Amino acid sequence: MPAFFILLAVSPAISALGLLLSPPLSYAAGTAGLVCGFGGLFLLYQDLLKPFKTICSSLRKPGTLNLPPVTDCGALCHMAELMAAHDEAHTREVASARRDLDKMRQDAAECHEKYTIAMSGQVMTKDSLHEAARKLRLLAADQAEQERKLAGICPELAETAFFGGLTTQWMDKVAAELEYCENYLAQMNAFLGDTPASSMQTETAREEEFFQWTPSYSTGVPVIDGQHKLLLSYVNKLHNGLRQGSDSVLLLEILDALAGYAFTHFTTEEIFFTYTDYPLCHKHIEEHQSFKNKIMLFREALLQGKADVDLTLLEFLKTWLIEHIQGMDVSFAPYVAQHHSIALKTDDSAAGGAERKDRTVPHLPDHE
Ligand SMILES: [Fe+2]
Ligand SMILES: [Fe+2]
């Protein structure tokens, strides 16, 4: 039986006994009754109320349950053990839920990034289709004109299958197909939402980006600009992975995707070189190659544990891309525009409809 219970039970009995006795024994019995009463209350506090108070205050802060020593627990010992076990299980559940939430956030960011890239690619494809259809229409019109002239000069030849309108009709048909594809893509864009450059990303999200696209990076050639935007988004993806503490395997995957896309983009530019009179193509290709070598060396060092994906790497990628885009790519763009008879457009002009007229093919020294 608990000591506090005995003392509290005995205290009124001793006091009542004091009433039956004559002084000074009655005083002694009264004092003893009081001592027993206060002693009982003190033990009750020690046994029940103090550990109960400690447990209550600990439970107010989840995960910080500090149990009093077993000897202090008294009657609450068993209850406290149960609560401690429950608290530990709860802490484990919260930690597991946090991990799941982080993973879901990472997956959502990944999906958003893929969606952004897919949308950019779709817009780029739409622009290319539009351009191809426009050129085919021009070619068809030119062909029709040539046929009319030929009919005036040599009517027999003009009546043959090749010159008799088949080529023109075929080009018109292909142009119509391209326009159909372009419209279809435009409808898909409208259904899926705006392009990443407009409303898909909120202002806040864009402000948080490590590498933001600005009109000063625009070469004016839609295909090249689209690919540059995708490259930027890969750098941002790598930065997000680093910021969220992603493991090295995931960071290496992102770096590989970035490098792979950069190499594809370089190939696109180098194919353009072969169709233009761009005099600095060798120097430009050398710059691309130097970047490729640096990335491959860095990747080797990463696999050997001699390097890490960190802010230094991100700063290198950002600086290299800005300098290369604003230097070599911007100076090469007028040759593409001249060869493909397209007007250079910046992001601003695309939105406002004004064409960039201040960029023409510059006079560049011959390369060795
Ligand atoms: Fe380039
Ligand atoms: Fe480029």
Side-chain angles (χ1 to χ4, degrees), residues 15-248:
S15 301
L17 185 66
L19 293 174
L20 298 175
L21 298 172
S22 57
L25 285 175
S26 63
Y27 297 142
T31 309
L34 279 174
V35 169
C36 285
F38 280 114
L41 286 173
F42 178 73
L43 290 178
L44 172 69
Y45 174 73
Q46 287 287 325
D47 264 19
L48 285 177
L49 300 181
K50 194 177 172 189
F52 188 72
K53 240 175 126 179
T54 312
I55 291 165
C56 279
S57 67
S58 295
L59 285 175
R60 282 194 200 105
K61 300 173 202 160
T64 60
L65 181 58
N66 294 315
L67 286 177
V70 175
T71 47
D72 288 352
C73 283
L76 289 173
C77 193
H78 180 61
M79 193 178 92
E81 279 172 5
L82 286 175
M83 290 175 84
H86 176 75
D87 187 62
E88 267 177 37
H90 177 67
T91 309
R92 276 198 302 273
E93 275 172 24
V94 169
S96 161
R98 274 203 188 125
R99 275 196 302 276
D100 289 348
L101 187 66
D102 284 347
K103 171 114 188 31
M104 280 164 73
R105 271 201 197 121
Q106 180 80 23
D107 288 348
E110 189 99 339
C111 282
H112 181 262
E113 201 59 54
K114 281 180 182 163
Y115 176 76
T116 309
I117 291 170
M119 284 297 286
S120 303
Q122 197 158 298
V123 170
M124 217 165 67
T125 312
K126 186 174 97 43
D127 289 346
S128 303
L129 283 171
H130 176 78
E131 192 54 28
R134 192 184 66 81
K135 281 181 185 163
L136 267 173
R137 291 279 185 212
L138 285 175
L139 274 173
D142 189 47
Q143 177 73 13
E145 181 60 28
Q146 296 300 327
E147 279 166 17
R148 268 196 300 279
K149 283 182 185 166
L150 189 65
I153 301 165
C154 183
E156 299 83 26
L157 192 59
E159 280 170 14
T160 61
F162 183 77
F163 291 105
L166 279 183
T167 317
T168 312
Q169 284 167 22
W170 179 81
M171 281 195 281
D172 276 335
K173 195 165 177 284
V174 174
E177 290 291 334
L178 289 174
E179 280 164 1
Y180 174 79
C181 291
E182 185 200 341
N183 286 336
Y184 183 70
L185 278 175
Q187 281 171 27
M188 275 181 69
N189 283 353
F191 176 72
L192 292 170
D194 253 339
T195 59
S198 53
S199 64
M200 199 171 79
Q201 286 173 302
T202 62
E203 283 299 325
T204 322
R206 262 178 277 155
E207 274 166 20
E208 283 174 3
E209 278 182 350
F210 172 73
F211 195 174
Q212 290 177 47
W213 174 265
T214 72
S216 69
Y217 303 152
S218 176
T219 61
V221 181
V223 177
I224 304 283
D225 285 347
Q227 293 190 347
H228 285 161
K229 282 178 187 173
L230 286 191
L231 274 175
L232 258 66
S233 76
Y234 273 115
V235 177
N236 286 329
K237 189 175 178 180
L238 195 57
H239 179 252
N240 285 338
L242 195 62
R243 200 176 50 178
Q244 288 161 10
S246 302
D247 60 38
S248 54

Side-chain angles (χ1 to χ4, degrees), residues 275-294:
Y275 290 101
T276 62
D277 304 323
Y278 179 47
L280 294 181
C281 65
H282 291 294
K283 192 168 181 295
H284 201 142
I285 291 171
E286 268 172 26
E287 262 198 28
H288 288 170
Q289 193 55 47
S290 150
F291 180 81
K292 284 186 197 174
N293 293 344
K294 279 180 186 163

